[in-house]
Each structure stands twice: as C-alpha cells, then as structure tokens.
C-alpha cells in the first residue's frame, strides 16, 4: 500500500492502491493547462518531448478557464472520456 499525500488536505494521509503499470505508455495523453502564467510553455516543451520519445502516444491539449477554481465538470468529463493519462501544468 502506498501513501499519497493529497495537496488539498494533508492533515490525514489518504491510503490508496497504486494501479499496476504495464511499463509501456500508449494511447492518449491529456496535457491540462491550469491557466497559470507560463504553464503553456512547459506543456509545449513536454508535448515536443512526448512526440519525439513516444510515437504510440497522441497528445490532447486542454485548458482550465482560470486557475482560481476547479476545472468545470464538463472539462473533467471530456478529459476522462478521451484520455488514458493526464499531465497537469503548475507553472508560474
């Protein structure tokens, strides 16, 4: 069992089981820009690296309307339904 600290409330660690990994990354990867300054620059570079290193990956880009609020439900559903992985940019 792995302990994962949830950044929204670190007072009580949440015990979760890590999903088994296959060792291969294939499918769709969502790159989520949370709309903080320079997050898009980080994601641009990451998208380039993914394209060069992982030919079996399709990158889909998304952006939150604002970093001050959680992503809208519709955006979260779109990301969940269309992707296998999510990478979120937290730049500043």
């Amino acid at each position: 069992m792995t302990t994962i600290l949830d950044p929204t409330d670190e007072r009580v660690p949440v015990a979760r089981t890590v999903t088994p990994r296959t060792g291969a990354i294939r499918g769709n990867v969502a790159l989520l820009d949370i709309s903080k300054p320079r997050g898009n620059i980080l994601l641009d570079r990451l998208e380039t690296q993914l394209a060069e290193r992982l030919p079996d990956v399709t990158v889909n880009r998304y952006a939150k309307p604002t970093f001050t609020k959680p992503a809208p439900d519709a955006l979260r559903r779109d990301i969940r339904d269309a992707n296998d992985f999510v990478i979120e940019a937290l730049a500043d």
Side-chain angles (χ1 to χ4, degrees), residues 36-81:
K36 289 197 89 171
R38 296 191 307 263
N40 60 326
I41 295 168
L42 171 67
L43 291 177
D44 289 345
R45 290 183 181 173
L46 184 56
E47 183 174 10
T48 299
Q49 293 292 316
L50 289 171
E52 290 173 0
R53 297 176 184 199
L54 300 170
D56 294 333
V57 165
T58 300
V59 174
N60 298 309
R61 296 286 293 259
Y62 300 89
K64 284 176 45 178
T66 177
F67 68 87
T68 60
K69 296 179 182 177
D73 288 340
L75 177 59
R76 289 189 286 173
R77 279 192 301 274
D78 289 348
I79 292 170
R80 178 196 66 204
D81 293 345

